[in-house]
Amino acid sequence: MIIVTGGAGFIGSNFVLDWLAGGDEPVVNVDKLTYAGNLGNLASLEGDARHLFVHADICDNAEMAALLARHQPRAIVHFAAESHVDRSIHGPAEFIRTNVNGTFSLLEAARHYWSALGAQEKTAFRFLHVSTDEVYGSLGPTDPPFTETTAYAPNSPYSASKAGSDHLVRAYHHTYGMPTLTTNCSNNYGPYHFPEKLIPLIITNALSGKDLPIYGDGQQVRDWLYVGDHCAAIRRVLEAGRTGEVYNIGGWNEKANLDVVHTLCELLDTLSPRADGKSYREQITYVTDRPGHDRRYAIDARKIERELGWKPAETFETGLRKTVQWYLSHQEWVANVQSGAYLKWVETNYGQRAGAGASA
Ligand code: NAD
Ligand code: DAU
């Protein structure tokens, strides 16, 4: 069996669902259920003996050690993290706690467990650390995309905490010989994406008649990857990645934020037109920029394609259409996650941003 951390979050729950749809190897899913964790994402696995949910904090080293001893996994796939850049600006402490200290606590538990394994199990064991392209910092408009050897230059408390965790994973391989793998992926989108992030926020705000907030000039560039493609890449790295290596994962899909929002408005205009016949673009509002906002991310994903034969299956057009359709047909899921705590976050993040008027 494998242990997944953060398997009730956006990418983790997609990973668990995909994993069990593709095979019968059991998953122990360890999640603290922060605001971002939602067991509703895994409702289809209720009563499925292949999935065991454990409500725990990765910072609890004793509990992590006990879990490993009890379940004897052949691998750990580590998603658990605080993941939202804007939240890291308002409250960095939780990011250091979970992303740095939590990864350290998990690595320590894994090291003790792994050290005591028999020779064969020891060689076969894998610790796969899921990380982000944000650790490489920000690119200029004509810079080449990030490769696995691009120097780290994190700019937000979130990316700095992820960089710290990446370095710890690297050190555990280098010093102790632990069979680790690290993946650095670009922006994901798809089902179960919490509506604090750009794409689900725009879809859900549009449908409820709210403003569509664009930070700064909206010309920041991100490389978008459909979450199912990310999950397939992680499975492939787990299966055949070389230990101690880093694999960049991306969609070859660089888009400016404003273009993403325009595309979403066009899709919504077709799939769920406004009652007044106007375009959702009318709801676009420019707001104060994110402090320290990275201008451009781009991933060079040739290594994983060359060595492991992975490349994305979805284009941005197919992935985005599927995503919009998913949100249209899961409005109850949206209503459930937009709880009191969510509304408080919206007030914290957007209440202080001066709006600069609406524009299509
Ligand atoms: P998410 O915020 O949706 O989910 C994080 C999950 O981790 C939640 O279920 C939460 O309850 C759990 N968690 C948080 N703190 C915990 C703790 N101390 N102990 C146990 N569980 C805890 O995040 P996501 O977007 O699914 O991202 C998953 C991973 O992928 C993160 O490590 C993130 O850095 C990385 N990543 C995300 C993206 C993206 O676009 N979302 C891209 C590249 C990499
Ligand atoms: O690059 C990978 C990273 O992508 C992951 O490591 C992070 O966990 C994930 O949250 C994501 O980070 P971003 O900061 O790029 O994603 P977010 O959806 O928050 O923002 C995407 C872009 O849209 C970014 O340039 C900021 C902008 N934005 C975001 C929000 C929430 C807006 O213009 N308006 C908004 O309201």
Side-chain angles (χ1 to χ4, degrees):
M1 52 77 62
I2 64 166
I3 286 187
V4 165
T5 70
F10 163 46
I11 306 174
S13 60
N14 275 282
F15 181 83
V16 169
L17 292 170
D18 283 4
W19 180 268
L20 293 175
D24 279 332
E25 187 175 12
V27 177
V28 172
N29 181 354
V30 184
D31 198 296
K32 184 183 167 189
L33 296 180
T34 67
Y35 78 92
N38 182 358
L39 281 180
N41 300 3
L42 301 162
S44 62
L45 296 177
E46 224 172 275
D48 189 327
R50 299 170 305 164
H51 177 241
L52 176 69
F53 180 74
V54 178
H55 188 196
D57 186 335
I58 56 163
C59 297
D60 186 339
N61 174 265
E63 179 140 18
M64 293 305 110
L67 263 178
L68 290 169
R70 192 174 322 132
H71 296 289
Q72 300 282 308
R74 71 166 177 95
I76 298 173
V77 184
H78 176 36
F79 293 95
E82 288 293 332
S83 69
H84 190 29
V85 174
D86 292 319
R87 287 188 191 253
S88 83
I89 294 166
H90 286 278
E94 204 52 33
F95 287 71
I96 305 306
R97 184 186 175 276
T98 285
N99 301 359
V100 182
N101 296 337
T103 300
F104 169 64
S105 137
L106 190 65
L107 277 168
E108 272 295 87
R111 178 168 74 89
H112 289 295
Y113 164 73
W114 169 76
S115 305
L117 288 174
Q120 229 177 332
E121 287 81 16
K122 213 170 164 186
T123 310
F125 183 76
R126 295 289 180 270
F127 185 104
L128 192 157
H129 174 59
V130 179
S131 193
T132 171
D133 60 359
E134 300 203 9
V135 297
Y136 299 120
S138 185
L139 293 168
T142 57
D143 288 340
F146 304 129
T147 69
E148 288 78 1
T149 55
T150 300
Y152 272 36
N155 289 319
S156 71
Y158 163 68
S159 53
S161 68
K162 290 297 290 188
S165 65
D166 293 9
H167 291 322
L168 284 168
V169 171
R170 178 190 153 86
Y172 272 61
H173 175 74
H174 189 81
T175 304
Y176 305 113
M178 232 173 85
T180 63
L181 297 157
T182 298
T183 56
N184 292 89
C185 187
S186 62
N187 286 60
N188 284 215
Y189 66 98
Y192 304 112
H193 204 181
F194 194 77
E196 64 186 354
K197 308 281 172 70
L198 182 71
I199 288 182
L201 180 97
I202 295 298
I203 300 171
T204 54
N205 275 17
L207 293 172
S208 49
K210 296 184 183 143
D211 288 348
L212 309 182
I214 308 286
Y215 294 169
D217 63 3
Q219 293 308 312
Q220 303 81 8
V221 171
R222 297 292 182 265
D223 168 13
W224 294 96
L225 179 71
Y226 188 69
V227 64
D229 280 327
H230 187 190
C231 294
I234 292 171
R235 286 199 305 274
R236 188 68 194 128
V237 172
L238 186 61
E239 179 178 59
R242 288 183 292 130
T243 57
E245 290 290 316
V246 172
Y247 293 90
N248 279 0
I249 304 172
W252 302 103
N253 252 322
E254 283 186 60
K255 306 274 178 209
N257 293 338
L258 194 57
D259 293 337
V260 171
V261 174
H262 284 162
T263 308
L264 284 169
C265 289
E266 276 156 33
L267 272 168
L268 286 165
D269 287 343
T270 313
L271 297 171
S272 183
R274 269 174 45 156
D276 63 4
K278 292 185 178 164
S279 170
Y280 287 100
R281 281 191 186 212
E282 302 269 326
Q283 290 164 235
I284 290 175
T285 309
Y286 290 88
V287 300
T288 309
D289 208 351
R290 170 186 282 175
H293 200 170
D294 284 339
R295 196 68 183 165
R296 174 176 166 239
Y297 304 141
I299 278 276
D300 181 336
R302 281 179 297 180
K303 177 177 173 182
I304 186 172
E305 180 171 352
R306 188 176 62 245
E307 290 191 10
L308 305 179
W310 174 89
K311 54 182 183 190
E314 298 289 345
T315 65
F316 192 57
E317 288 64 36
T318 60
L320 209 59
R321 178 172 281 267
K322 272 191 192 177
T323 303
V324 170
Q325 280 166 333
W326 188 88
Y327 279 89
L328 286 171
S329 59
H330 288 79
Q331 305 220 12
E332 205 181 312
W333 180 91
V334 172
N336 280 339
V337 300
Q338 288 177 331
S339 63
Y342 175 80
L343 297 176
K344 192 163 175 287
W345 162 249
V346 170
E347 179 49 33
T348 305
N349 191 41
Y350 297 96
Q352 312 167 349
R353 285 178 199 271
S359 146

